[in-house]
Amino acid sequence: MAAIRGAEAILFASAQPVGADELAERLAPGTDVPQVLADLRTIYASRGVNLVEVAGKWMFRTAPDLAHLLTREQVEPKKLSRAALETLAIIAYHQPVTRAEIEEIRGVTTNKGTLDVLMETGWIRMRGRRRTPGRPLTYGTTEAFLVHFGLEAVTDLPGVDDLKAAGFLEGAVPPGFRVPVPNASDALMPDEDPLTELDFQDYAPLPPEE
């Protein structure tokens, strides 16, 4: 019971999701953390807040059926432009992806400001540099992206069937149309080089495109 109360206190006090490893470090040695989390999840399953796993970590969230009670307390984030939303979707499904690859998929030039806005939200990050001429930067999503959209992993993003069920794909789907399976690995791909300090020093946000 002491371990459950301790984990409960840590999770409630944290503004960010907490990993099992962090709980293990802060609880008594030998604590069965997976069991503690399972017990807490059961205890809170029928309460106003639920213990949920997001991006491989744990946090308390308002029970879905009570979300309407908190609408007055909801902070309205700055609305992203259509270009930013399209760019975010491409990065989420095609990561690791370069700016040139984003432009090829969108069919239009992507303003650097759009990528800057997404980086400022904390939803995307620079991953590495592609081993091609010019060594372009590659981009991927972050843990904050998973937390915001309530995903355990990028592989939980909706596929074709999910999009159809949600009404986003109406009518006949063109032959050969498919939704790519997102890359769930945070490790650099064989064609990526790690970033250097200079990559971050050179990063200078620009105004977003309209």
Side-chain angles (χ1 to χ4, degrees):
M1 181 59 71
I4 292 177
R5 294 182 67 238
E8 181 181 33
I10 293 170
L11 288 162
F12 261 119
S14 177
Q16 303 295 330
V18 180
D21 291 344
E22 183 179 348
L23 286 173
E25 292 175 359
R26 301 174 67 176
L27 296 175
T31 298
D32 187 348
V33 174
Q35 185 59 53
V36 168
L37 289 169
D39 291 341
L40 267 179
R41 197 170 193 176
T42 299
I43 292 170
Y44 279 90
S46 60
R47 296 191 178 181
V49 291
N50 301 148
L51 181 63
V52 298
E53 184 176 8
V54 178
K57 297 183 178 181
W58 297 85
M59 66 185 298
F60 282 110
R61 274 193 165 171
T62 303
D65 61 313
L66 299 178
H68 65 283
L69 298 177
L70 304 179
T71 52
R72 292 182 181 178
E73 300 178 19
Q74 183 177 359
V75 177
E76 182 68 25
K78 182 174 69 173
K79 185 176 180 180
L80 292 177
S81 67
R82 178 176 177 178
L85 290 172
E86 290 176 354
T87 300
L88 177 62
I90 291 170
I91 292 173
Y93 279 97
H94 295 268
Q95 61 186 302
V97 63
T98 66
R99 179 178 169 184
E101 291 166 343
I102 294 170
E103 293 176 346
E104 181 180 357
I105 294 171
R106 288 189 64 216
V108 295
T109 300
T110 299
N111 190 311
K112 184 178 182 295
T114 299
L115 293 170
D116 292 338
V117 168
L118 292 174
M119 291 190 67
E120 288 169 5
T121 65
W123 292 349
I124 71 167
R125 64 185 175 90
M126 298 184 293
R127 286 175 46 100
R129 284 191 175 275
R130 187 65 53 76
R131 294 178 185 174
T132 56
R135 300 185 66 249
L137 287 166
T138 58
Y139 296 90
T141 54
T142 65
E143 181 180 297
F145 169 82
L146 298 177
V147 171
H148 181 84
F149 291 99
L151 303 171
E152 184 174 342
V154 291
T155 49
D156 292 330
L157 285 167
V160 173
D161 292 338
D162 299 313
L163 294 174
K164 286 182 179 178
F168 291 110
L169 294 178
E170 298 180 355
V173 176
F177 177 84
R178 66 184 183 86
V179 174
V181 178
N183 173 27
S185 174
D186 285 331
L188 292 177
M189 298 294 101
D191 63 348
E192 288 181 288
D193 286 325
L195 298 171
T196 66
E197 291 185 7
L198 186 60
D199 290 316
F200 295 98
Q201 292 173 359
D202 288 345
Y203 175 73
L206 297 175
E209 62 185 293
E210 296 298 330

